[in-house]
Amino acid sequence: MYRVKSLALGIALFLGACSGPGSEGERAASSTLRFNLGTSARNHIVTTAEDALLTRYGYRLDRRVDTAEDVRLETSWKEIAALEEEQLAGYTQVRVRISVTARPRSRAGGTGSTFAARMIAECEGQLAVGGNWVDVPIVSAREAYFDEIAEYLENEFKGGVM
């Protein structure tokens, strides 16, 4: 009986160690990043995000939803130069897309006047010219680019709080 309990405990500890997140600071490679951008008035979020994405960063809007309960601005895919790390991984072309979404912070008492905004950044690449687009793990330099956009939007939203 003691051996069975010891074996069961050993298996449980082994499986628990395998399912953990790994060492501290380790991040699973992902093709998507999410950022919380803070809160602001709905109109301020829409105008600021549109201006930044279109004018400052050179994206085109593919989808625009702007209602009292939902804001969603989604850019078209934008082809950009593959970074050295991406080229070493075999990607010949890379494209990115950014979405800014916002929802009312509270729905009590009717429609909310303050919205909480988020940004989602996605990255895809091709392993051969004309090949299928596949998810590309976001490398540190690409993450810094998305961080810059998110930080800009967050600071602009803070500046427009009523």
Side-chain angles (χ1 to χ4, degrees), residues 21-89:
S23 65
E24 188 174 311
E26 184 179 319
R27 177 175 78 85
S30 174
S31 64
T32 304
L33 291 175
R34 290 172 170 68
F35 302 88
N36 289 319
L37 302 175
T39 60
S40 192
R42 179 184 56 79
N43 289 336
H44 182 68
I45 290 172
V46 172
T47 57
T48 301
E50 277 185 343
D51 183 53
L53 293 173
L54 299 174
T55 306
R56 185 177 179 96
Y57 295 103
Y59 287 87
R60 289 180 298 141
L61 283 184
D62 188 42
R63 182 174 178 206
R64 183 183 193 273
V65 175
D66 180 11
T67 68
E69 293 293 318
D70 187 31
V71 170
R72 180 170 183 86
L73 305 171
E74 186 176 285
T75 69
S76 299
W77 287 102
K78 179 181 177 182
E79 290 189 29
I80 53 180
L83 299 170
E84 184 178 352
E85 287 179 80
E86 294 164 337
Q87 291 173 359
L88 290 173

Side-chain angles (χ1 to χ4, degrees), residues 69 104-114:
E69 293 293 318
R105 285 188 62 199
S106 172
R107 293 197 169 110
T111 59
S113 61
T114 303

